Amino acid sequence: MENGTYFIISSNFWTIAGSFGLNTNLLETNLINLGVVLGLLVYFGKGVLSNLLNNRKLTILNTIQDAEERYKEATDKLNQARTRLQQAKQKADDIRINGLSQMEKEKQDLINAADEDSKRLEDSKNATIRFEKQRAIEQVRQQVSRLALERALETLKSRLNSELHLRMIDYHIGLLRAMESTIE
Amino acid sequence: MGGQNFVEYVLEFIRDLTRTQIGEEEYRPWVPFIGTMFLFIFVSNWSGALFPWRVFELPNGELAAPTNDINTTVALALLTSVAYFYAGLHKKGLSYFGKYIQPTPVLLPINILEDFTKPLSLSFRLFGNILADELVVAVLISLVPLVVPIPMMFLGLFTSAIQALIFATLAAAYIGESMEGHH
């Protein structure tokens, strides 16, 4: 009884199938509405979706491009820095070499100056020695001549008599005469 | 034509959703779970609303969205429950049960109750929304078959998408909540 009423009431609104099959009632299966809904959805949704996806793609491309540019800049800067480093190294080497050669030259100059000084000292030493030698020789000569004169005087004093004295004066006059004649 | 772009977009969306709810450090393992929840519910809802399922007649019952059945939604909600329990236990060990006494032990019965209300609310929210929309559209069709149901169908699409998002977000939030507090 209950089942009967249920069947009668509900058969106005919903059909109970009872077996497999296809429902071809267009109004009941809602096909038209669904078609409209789907059409509108696709129409508007496609625009929105493709906009969204395009934006995303552009953003990603831009980011990649930026990253690549920064990479290039970084490598450029690195290369520049490397060349500058090379140059600086070169300069440092030059300075070092110059320094070494300068050092050598200074050393050489010092050696030369020292040599000259020593030579000069040597010369002055020699000169002093010679001078002293001369003086010594002079002194000795003077001494010898004095001694000789003293001995001569003594000999004269011991041996001088009037005859020898006379002969000597004559000799000397003769010398003077000879000198006088030569001068004239 | 942008298929890769589209899939990447969906993945980023889900990842973002998970990361917002669970946090930066440990959201990665949960992205598949949340993604599955979201995509399953979303596709179920929309396919139920957009396909002409009534064309196929069955002896008992009908074809419709899977989520208009309480069994499906309860299953999903229970899965979420298990998931956040697992997350908490895996991260903190047995001290996870210490969270029932935070912030004060007076709230212990409320915290225990929460463990039951969370899956309940999740399942019923989803089930109620989808079934209600389907019923309203069916009634409108049986009354005025042609043009009037159309706005209702659009509303149904909108709310079912939102419901999928809400389910996924809440699942992620519960997981995040049970994993936090470890610092």
Side-chain angles (χ1 to χ4, degrees), chain B residues 109-168:
Chain B
I110 295 186
N111 282 331
I112 296 186
L113 192 64
E114 211 176 33
D115 269 336
F116 290 99
T117 59
K118 276 181 187 171
L120 201 71
S121 79
L122 276 178
S123 59
F124 267 96
R125 183 186 303 113
L126 183 60
F127 165 67
N129 263 290
I130 305 305
L131 183 65
D133 168 69
E134 207 165 293
L135 280 180
V136 166
V137 169
V139 166
L140 278 181
I141 287 175
S142 69
L143 288 178
V144 187
L146 274 183
V147 172
V148 172
I150 293 186
M152 203 58 216
M153 293 169 86
F154 273 114
L155 184 65
L157 285 178
F158 175 66
T159 58
S160 58
I162 299 273
Q163 282 307 311
L165 183 63
I166 287 182
F167 196 100

Side-chain angles (χ1 to χ4, degrees), chain A residues 93-131:
Chain A
D93 277 343
D94 283 345
I95 290 181
R96 187 152 29 95
I97 290 179
N98 276 351
L100 280 178
S101 69
Q102 196 108 345
M103 205 165 65
E104 281 299 321
K105 206 154 46 124
E106 297 262 319
K107 201 162 60 166
Q108 221 28 49
D109 282 349
L110 275 177
I111 288 179
N112 288 346
D115 273 349
E116 255 175 49
D117 275 346
S118 75
K119 217 186 315 188
R120 223 170 337 115
L121 285 175
E122 184 94 19
D123 282 347
S124 80
K125 170 190 88 169
N126 285 344
T128 319
I129 287 181
R130 240 179 318 167
F131 179 64

Side-chain angles (χ1 to χ4, degrees), chain A residues 50-112:
Chain A
S50 57
N51 222 5
L52 209 67
L53 291 181
N54 245 353
N55 279 348
R56 184 170 177 270
K57 188 159 81 162
L58 284 178
T59 316
I60 291 180
L61 278 177
N62 275 343
T63 315
I64 291 181
Q65 234 171 7
D66 275 346
E68 277 185 3
E69 263 183 38
R70 275 203 302 260
Y71 169 72
K72 203 154 64 81
E73 270 180 36
T75 39
D76 276 348
K77 277 208 199 119
L78 178 68
N79 281 341
Q80 275 181 14
R82 274 218 187 106
T83 45
R84 276 206 297 262
L85 175 70
Q86 273 303 93
Q87 285 175 0
K89 241 189 235 173
Q90 196 62 23
K91 228 181 275 183
D93 277 343
D94 283 345
I95 290 181
R96 187 152 29 95
I97 290 179
N98 276 351
L100 280 178
S101 69
Q102 196 108 345
M103 205 165 65
E104 281 299 321
K105 206 154 46 124
E106 297 262 319
K107 201 162 60 166
Q108 221 28 49
D109 282 349
L110 275 177
I111 288 179
N112 288 346

Side-chain angles (χ1 to χ4, degrees), chain A residues 17-23 27-34 36-38 40-41 49 52-54 56-57 60, chain B residues 2 5-6 8-9 12 46 49-52 54-59 137 141 145-147 149-150 153-154 157:
Chain A
S19 65
F20 288 99
L22 279 175
N23 188 349
L27 294 179
E28 198 174 282
T29 54
N30 205 19
L31 275 172
I32 308 177
N33 290 339
L34 272 176
V36 172
V37 165
L38 267 175
L40 283 177
L41 193 68
L49 205 64
L52 209 67
L53 291 181
N54 245 353
R56 184 170 177 270
K57 188 159 81 162
I60 291 180
Chain B
N5 203 354
F6 178 66
E8 277 184 11
Y9 174 69
E12 256 185 47
W46 269 36
L50 290 177
F51 272 58
R54 297 218 182 163
V55 173
F56 308 106
E57 290 181 347
L58 299 181
V137 169
I141 287 175
L146 274 183
V147 172
I150 293 186
M153 293 169 86
F154 273 114
L157 285 178

